Amino acid sequence: MMAATTGSTGVVFSVLSALLDYPDPSTQRALPEARTLLNAARALPLDVRAGLDRFIDEYAQRDLMTLQERYVALFDRGRATSLYLFEHVHGESRDRGQAMVDLLNMYEKQGLHLRPGELPDYLPVFLEYLSRLPEKEARSLLAETGEILQAITTRLTERASRYRFVVGALLPLAGIRHSVSSDGESADDDVDAPPSAADYRALDAAYADEPVRFVGAETPVTEPLHFYDKRPGHPRDPREPR
């Protein structure tokens, strides 16, 4: 589960990457190790570590199928909580294809090669890349995603999902002050709720603006690149011919 990284910040990025990935048995088995590493991380404030403890408690107590169903319901229904960074930045514009290529080139320079079907803008993949960088450079790149991470954390908080503690843990590492509230939490995360009207209005407003450049995307490609999710049961890309 954990990459062989040095320095507390690199370890934190690697652990949070695993916790944000699609739930699997190896991650569940590694939860005690994850808890130990996060509790020892000087890079995280005490209240952030407490929130991560609560997330790990729930992860450990749930059966794997329930965790997987909730993950898909939460992150794959609508863009407001999507973990694919460029969904929030470029939408369906052609800039997204070049940005994907730029990220892949950056990853390969650090010896990070993606598995078949894995998308480079998937947040857990991006965090694994950051775990391999010097701390100052990693924090600087993470800060470029700060507004996206804040928006996702806000949406997760509105849905009472404990994943808010994991995404929210990235904010102080990006130099952002943001308190993740634990008030009003129900016994079960409200992850099955469909995106609200407010979610759709926010997305419409975001895509009406000029797309934001992220990690060096400069020139649009002639045709956008198509990437597809590797997870079982994930809906097909709407552009894929039937």
Side-chain angles (χ1 to χ4, degrees):
M1 170 182 161
M2 313 304 171
T5 53
T6 58
S8 61
T9 304
V11 170
V12 169
F13 283 135
S14 187
V15 175
L16 295 181
S17 169
L19 295 181
L20 282 173
D21 206 349
Y22 185 69
D24 63 24
S26 64
T27 302
Q28 276 196 315
R29 290 193 297 269
L31 288 175
E33 178 190 0
R35 191 193 302 272
T36 298
L37 292 171
L38 292 173
N39 284 336
R42 297 186 301 274
L44 294 175
L46 185 60
D47 61 327
V48 171
R49 282 178 272 165
L52 290 170
D53 262 340
R54 295 175 62 186
F55 172 83
I56 290 173
D57 285 342
E58 182 177 52
Y59 202 131
Q61 293 165 7
R62 299 285 183 181
D63 66 274
L64 185 60
M65 183 173 293
T66 298
L67 290 171
Q68 292 173 340
E69 289 174 349
R70 290 187 166 209
Y71 187 95
V72 171
L74 182 62
F75 294 119
D76 295 340
R77 293 181 182 173
R79 290 173 177 162
T81 55
S82 174
L83 295 183
Y84 293 95
L85 297 172
F86 294 152
E87 285 285 326
H88 304 269
V89 178
H90 299 295
E92 298 298 328
S93 77
R94 292 185 175 185
D95 284 353
R96 187 179 185 187
Q98 183 60 48
M100 291 280 200
V101 173
D102 292 340
L103 268 184
L104 282 171
N105 290 337
M106 291 166 60
Y107 293 168
E108 289 175 359
K109 289 178 181 178
Q110 289 294 324
L112 179 61
H113 299 280
L114 305 189
R115 293 169 292 189
E118 201 164 39
L119 283 74
D121 66 334
Y122 183 44
L123 181 56
V125 174
F126 183 61
L127 295 178
E128 186 59 33
Y129 167 67
L130 296 184
S131 76
R132 300 167 182 240
L133 300 179
E135 179 174 347
K136 184 176 181 180
E137 183 180 353
R139 285 177 178 263
S140 177
L141 279 176
L142 183 67
E144 293 188 28
T145 71
E147 291 185 9
I148 299 171
L149 298 176
Q150 281 185 297
I152 296 173
T153 301
T154 297
R155 296 302 183 196
L156 293 174
T157 301
E158 291 171 355
R159 299 184 187 189
S161 170
R162 290 190 181 179
Y163 271 101
R164 71 188 184 274
F165 295 121
V166 188
V167 179
L170 295 168
L171 298 178
L173 298 174
I176 298 171
R177 292 185 178 182
H178 184 99
S179 177
V180 180
S181 173
S182 60
D183 295 337
E185 183 171 300
S186 60
D188 292 312
D189 292 359
D190 186 21
V191 299
D192 294 324
S196 67
D199 289 339
Y200 289 119
R201 286 195 297 270
L203 285 169
D204 289 341
Y207 290 134
D209 296 333
E210 182 71 17
V212 179
R213 298 289 179 180
F214 174 60
V215 292
E218 295 291 344
T219 307
V221 293
T222 304
E223 292 293 337
L225 301 182
H226 294 175
F227 295 87
Y228 306 104
D229 199 291
K230 65 183 175 64
R231 286 174 275 150
H234 189 78
R236 70 164 63 220
D237 190 293
R239 297 162 297 190
E240 184 181 358
R242 294 183 179 275

